[in-house]
Amino acid sequence: MSTFRLQIVTPDGSAFDGEAEALRLRTTEGYISIRAGHADLLAVLDIGVVTVTQDGTARNAACGGGFLSVEGGAVRLVATTFEYADAIDVERAKLAEERARERIANAKAERDIELAKVKLARALNRESVAEK
């Protein structure tokens, strides 16, 4: 199967740098798949699952948003947060979910409610990815 150059970076460093066969991820417009030869693209990422396929093996990760660039066959994913399923601390994610739900229930300002909803979505995404 054909491959393409993939880099995944976060504020904490590099999460992937090498050849991949496929990349599936959620943009603000929905899920897309990237394979070798994909047209140039710039997309905003949403909270969701990212699946990286390398050497026939698919690996899932929780992504907290960011952007994707496909240019000249090279693919770069810049994520605000990115955790592979096997690295997710499920208990920590559940605690984050509880805190977010409490913040939503107790928030007075609309901005505080919206921020808590984003934190809740990230926590639920991490839990879901870890359980798969």
Side-chain angles (χ1 to χ4, degrees), residues 33-108:
S33 292
I34 306 294
R35 296 194 185 272
H38 197 285
D40 289 356
L41 169 75
L42 184 61
V44 178
L45 302 182
D46 203 352
I47 295 169
V49 180
V50 172
T51 304
V52 177
T53 303
Q54 181 183 39
D55 298 326
T57 302
R59 191 171 182 201
N60 290 331
C63 180
F67 74 89
L68 173 76
S69 169
V70 179
E71 186 175 7
V75 179
R76 176 174 282 167
L77 187 158
V78 179
T80 54
T81 60
F82 186 93
E83 288 180 273
Y84 286 109
D86 57 2
I88 294 173
D89 181 339
V90 177
E91 288 305 313
R92 189 172 140 239
K94 288 181 180 183
L95 289 172
E97 176 191 353
E98 289 175 23
R99 284 191 307 271
R101 289 188 188 281
E102 287 173 13
R103 286 181 181 154
I104 290 168
N106 298 322
K108 305 277 189 271

Side-chain angles (χ1 to χ4, degrees), residues 102-123:
E102 287 173 13
R103 286 181 181 154
I104 290 168
N106 298 322
K108 305 277 189 271
E110 188 64 32
R111 173 136 172 87
D112 293 337
I113 294 169
E114 292 305 313
L115 288 172
K117 285 181 179 179
V118 170
K119 290 180 185 262
L120 177 60
R122 285 184 179 162

